[in-house]
Amino acid sequence: MSSDTFTHSRALIGRHLRHLTRTPQQLMSITLMPVVFVLVFGYLFGSAIDVPGGQKYQEYIMAGIFIQVVMSNLGLTALGVVGDLDNGLMDRFRSLPISRAAVLIGRTTNDLILVAWSFVLMSGIGFLIGWRVHNDFLSVLGGFGLLLLLGLATSWLGALLGLALRSAEAVNAIGAIIVMPMSFLSNAFIPLDGLPGWMQSVAEWNPVSAVVLACRKLFGNAGGSTGDSFPMQHPIPMALVLTVALLALVVPLTVRAYEKAASKK
Amino acid sequence: METAISAEGLRKRYAEHEVLRGIDLAVGAGEVLGLLGPNGAGKTTIVRILATLLPPDAGKVTVAGYDLAREPKEIRRRIGLTGQYAAVDAVLTGRENLRLIGVLLGLGKRKARARADELLEQFDLADAADRPSRSYSGGMRRRLDLAASLVATPSVLFLDEPTTGLDVTSRQLLWQMVRQQVDSGVSVLLTTQYLEEADQLADRLVVLDKGTLIAEGTPEELKRKVGGERLEVSVATAAELPAVVKAVADASADPPRWTRRPVASPSRWSAAWTPSPRSRPS
Ligand SMILES: Nc1ncnc2c1ncn2[C@@H]1O[C@H](COP(=O)(O)OP(=O)(O)OP(=O)(O)O)[C@@H](O)[C@H]1O
Ligand SMILES: [Mg+2]
């Protein structure tokens, strides 16, 4: 990234953070939603789900709950992009002599900061309901690093979706079609060996599954039964590889879509 | 730089719909060219192409001396764009909007600040500078938008219907501000639906209809051709319009064409008549 792109992205992050401090609804949603996630998934389902390996349910489930915030980042970014298309700012930015990626880097980085903020809150609430990590600091940090990297990928995917669909309704509909299978066709909440064969393979190669399992390992939380597919045997490197592959696929497509972005008006 | 903008054989189509059917136009350095045309004529499409936002299907274009296809970034350094709908961040204040653009243009924080202050003063926005722009009136938002397109001190300025929807006072204030830019040597491509606006600002006019240029000349020449007077009447309620329309029609020799639109206050309407060009010998 050139130093200009860095300066521009930083200025745009400043813009987004101002939005955050001035629109209480937005601040509330990124603050309350994660807290509610932890309480709902951590407590309510606790009695209903059998924890593999006899460990505490709250320890098993936290990685899956972090993933929910990572996935919801897709919608956050997509709706932000649609907003900028609607009010014409995207045209304004595109008519400036700035790098093609700066606007997208600014928004996705900002949204990632919000995800990190949610993680901090969730970890606190998680601690209160009994979540503990049983590993060294660096490993735990590595786990959050993988979650953030996947959050970056979902954010760019969201930007692509926003640029392609150009409407909030369409984003909500199509976004759900992408997010639901990605988060639920994974090991976030359920052990995969209960699934029919082909579905199990899909779920095991889902980057979300690799990230969840890698996090459980890095946090020292129970992994549950994992199956013997390659990603499940090597979750940490595979989480990295699958997420980076997703980014490598989505980022160039998104930059191209930005170049051609046309507001609807 | 002798010509600010030159376009030859500009074409654009969307699926079956041919929006631009071979447009040739040129704007000289320091000149104001008015692009006049009704809704859907293709005005915005031309502006978006020339401002590097939309690739044309065919045509050779240079803006500020640079080739559109080869050096769009050089063009972006030298143009200002005020689109048909004000493109400002509603949550940010006027000052923050202008500073953001300044930093994005690479002025650096200090210069961006100074430039923002200067423009706010110049566009009569100093008092509202620290309010979120969503609280601005339509006229103020338009002025902020124009200011935003001038942060870089561009040499070529695109104005897409800059005063549509503004009341008479705001309109005149904006015209005055555009004139200041012209006096300082900026070349302008202005689109408008109002002959009056073109008359006020433009040195030369082209008339666009359904993607084709159908007339060209100075405002005087075109007015002579069209013949027309233009009469604008405001009424308190829409219900009074039919009676007013009939009265004017009865009093004129040729059947006038008229359009109606809401004016500043929501309960008021105005009707504008222009004589039909076909009904007069040219
Ligand atoms: N993205 C698009 N897809 C399909 N058709 C389009 C698109 N953009 C513009 N058009 C069509 O191109 C034609 C010209 O549009 P344009 O916006 O250039 O007109 P205009 O002269 O600016 O009109 P107005 O005075 O209403 O702003 C219209 O018929 C419009 O429907
Ligand atoms: Mg238009």
Side-chain angles (χ1 to χ4, degrees):
Chain A
M1 185 164 45
S2 77
S3 77
D4 274 355
T5 308
F6 180 76
T7 310
H8 298 155
S9 307
R10 199 180 51 188
L12 289 163
I13 292 171
R15 167 185 171 230
H16 297 307
L17 291 178
R18 287 206 172 95
H19 276 234
L20 190 67
T21 55
R22 288 173 204 177
T23 30
Q25 317 84 288
Q26 214 186 342
L27 192 62
M28 232 163 64
S29 88
I30 67 145
T31 304
L32 285 183
M33 188 194 63
V35 172
V36 171
F37 271 160
V38 175
L39 291 177
V40 169
F41 287 107
Y43 268 133
L44 292 184
F45 296 171
S47 50
I49 297 178
D50 251 352
V51 180
Q55 222 185 4
K56 263 171 84 178
Y57 168 78
Q58 277 79 5
E59 301 218 335
Y60 169 76
I61 206 69
M62 273 308 280
I65 304 176
F66 285 130
I67 283 291
Q68 299 313 300
V69 171
V70 165
M71 296 312 293
S72 70
N73 203 25
L74 185 144
L76 184 72
T77 306
L79 293 178
V81 165
V82 169
D84 279 353
L85 284 170
D86 275 349
N87 61 27
L89 273 170
M90 209 55 110
D91 277 355
R92 160 87 58 220
F93 293 145
R94 287 179 62 235
S95 74
L96 296 176
I98 58 179
S99 100
R100 299 171 303 179
V103 172
L104 298 167
I105 293 175
R107 180 168 289 283
T108 51
T109 307
N110 171 73
D111 291 354
L112 203 62
I113 293 172
L114 305 191
V115 170
W117 159 249
S118 299
F119 284 171
V120 171
L121 288 175
M122 294 167 79
S123 300
I125 307 287
F127 185 84
L128 291 180
I129 68 166
W131 174 60
R132 296 291 182 274
V133 294
H134 309 278
N135 227 336
D136 59 292
F137 181 70
L138 276 183
S139 302
V140 174
L141 213 59
F144 281 114
L146 286 176
L147 285 168
L148 286 175
L149 195 64
L150 185 64
L152 190 63
T154 53
S155 186
W156 278 88
L157 192 58
L160 178 60
L161 215 59
L163 288 167
L165 299 175
R166 293 182 278 164
S167 100
E169 293 78 22
V171 159
N172 284 329
I174 307 289
I177 294 176
I178 296 176
V179 167
M180 292 288 276
M182 267 188 91
S183 52
F184 290 106
L185 205 58
S186 79
N187 55 2
F189 297 117
I190 50 164
L192 296 181
D193 45 15
L195 297 173
W198 66 270
M199 218 183 223
Q200 190 176 339
S201 307
V202 172
E204 284 175 351
W205 282 88
N206 181 351
V208 170
S209 295
V211 172
V212 167
L213 189 56
C215 280
R216 287 184 180 141
K217 279 212 153 53
L218 290 165
F219 294 159
N221 296 149
S225 55
T226 56
D228 43 31
S229 71
F230 190 75
M232 297 295 97
Q233 287 302 311
H234 312 276
I236 297 171
M238 280 313 282
L240 206 58
V241 167
L242 289 173
T243 310
V244 169
L246 186 59
L247 271 167
L249 178 74
V250 171
V251 170
L253 286 176
T254 312
V255 172
R256 259 178 62 108
Y258 171 79
E259 268 174 71
K260 300 191 169 166
S263 60
K264 265 187 310 175
K265 281 171 182 163
Chain B
M1 188 182 68
E2 302 231 310
T3 47
I5 303 171
S6 106
E8 286 166 27
L10 210 54
R11 289 182 176 277
K12 184 76 192 176
R13 68 156 62 226
Y14 289 106
E16 297 297 283
H17 185 31
E18 203 165 3
V19 178
L20 300 180
R21 303 156 187 258
I23 303 286
D24 300 318
L25 55 81
V27 182
E31 190 185 26
V32 182
L33 179 70
L35 181 59
L36 198 64
N39 287 136
K43 304 183 294 296
T44 299
T45 307
I46 292 182
V47 168
R48 288 178 58 87
I49 289 175
L50 298 179
T52 76
L53 295 178
L54 187 71
D57 296 338
K60 185 170 165 27
V61 177
T62 64
V63 177
Y66 290 88
D67 186 273
L68 178 77
R70 284 203 305 268
E71 293 175 287
K73 198 157 179 180
E74 292 302 322
I75 294 178
R76 288 182 195 132
R77 276 185 222 289
R78 291 164 178 82
I79 60 169
L81 169 65
T82 302
Q84 187 166 355
Y85 305 91
V88 293
D89 187 317
V91 176
L92 298 190
T93 66
R95 196 188 302 279
E96 289 168 340
N97 264 291
L98 297 181
R99 282 184 184 172
L100 175 63
I101 303 290
V103 172
L104 292 178
L105 284 164
L107 295 186
K109 270 215 167 99
R110 253 208 11 251
K111 276 197 189 150
R113 242 167 233 261
R115 183 72 180 135
D117 294 346
E118 193 183 341
L119 286 165
L120 289 164
E121 199 61 48
Q122 190 182 342
F123 283 82
D124 203 9
L125 289 168
D127 290 339
D130 296 310
R131 286 197 341 235
S133 75
R134 81 158 99 248
S135 72
Y136 286 15
S137 71
M140 291 161 77
R141 203 169 307 129
R142 273 273 153 204
R143 266 157 29 219
L144 179 61
D145 197 40
L146 181 57
S149 65
L150 293 171
V151 174
T153 23
S155 62
V156 178
L157 185 60
F158 296 100
L159 301 172
D160 194 1
E161 301 195 23
T163 66
T164 301
L166 298 191
D167 65 23
V168 181
T169 322
S170 311
R171 178 172 297 176
Q172 280 168 353
L173 193 60
L174 207 96
W175 285 348
Q176 192 188 322
M177 288 162 176
V178 172
R179 272 192 216 106
Q180 278 172 13
Q181 295 305 313
V182 175
D183 290 344
S184 66
V186 178
S187 319
V188 179
L189 178 70
L190 162 88
T191 84
T192 180
Q193 300 187 30
Y194 308 123
L195 185 55
E196 186 198 359
E197 178 159 272
D199 190 21
Q200 286 283 335
L201 294 176
D203 303 316
R204 206 159 50 82
L205 287 180
V206 291
V207 182
L208 182 70
D209 190 32
K210 301 196 185 78
T212 317
L213 294 181
I214 55 169
E216 171 165 13
T218 64
E220 277 65 37
E221 286 165 358
L222 282 183
K223 267 191 296 184
R224 230 175 295 133
K225 263 191 204 164
V226 175
E229 312 83 48
R230 187 186 144 93
L231 183 63
E232 192 160 334
V233 178
S234 298
V235 292
T237 64
E240 294 171 23
L241 271 181
V244 177
V245 169
K246 187 169 182 312
V248 176
D250 289 347
S252 47
D254 296 321
R257 292 196 308 181
W258 64 281
T259 54
R260 56 187 243 176
R261 64 185 169 86
V263 290
S265 108
S267 63
R268 291 178 65 82
W269 289 75
S270 85
W273 284 266
T274 24
S276 156
R278 279 175 301 275
S279 67
R280 302 240 170 182
S282 58

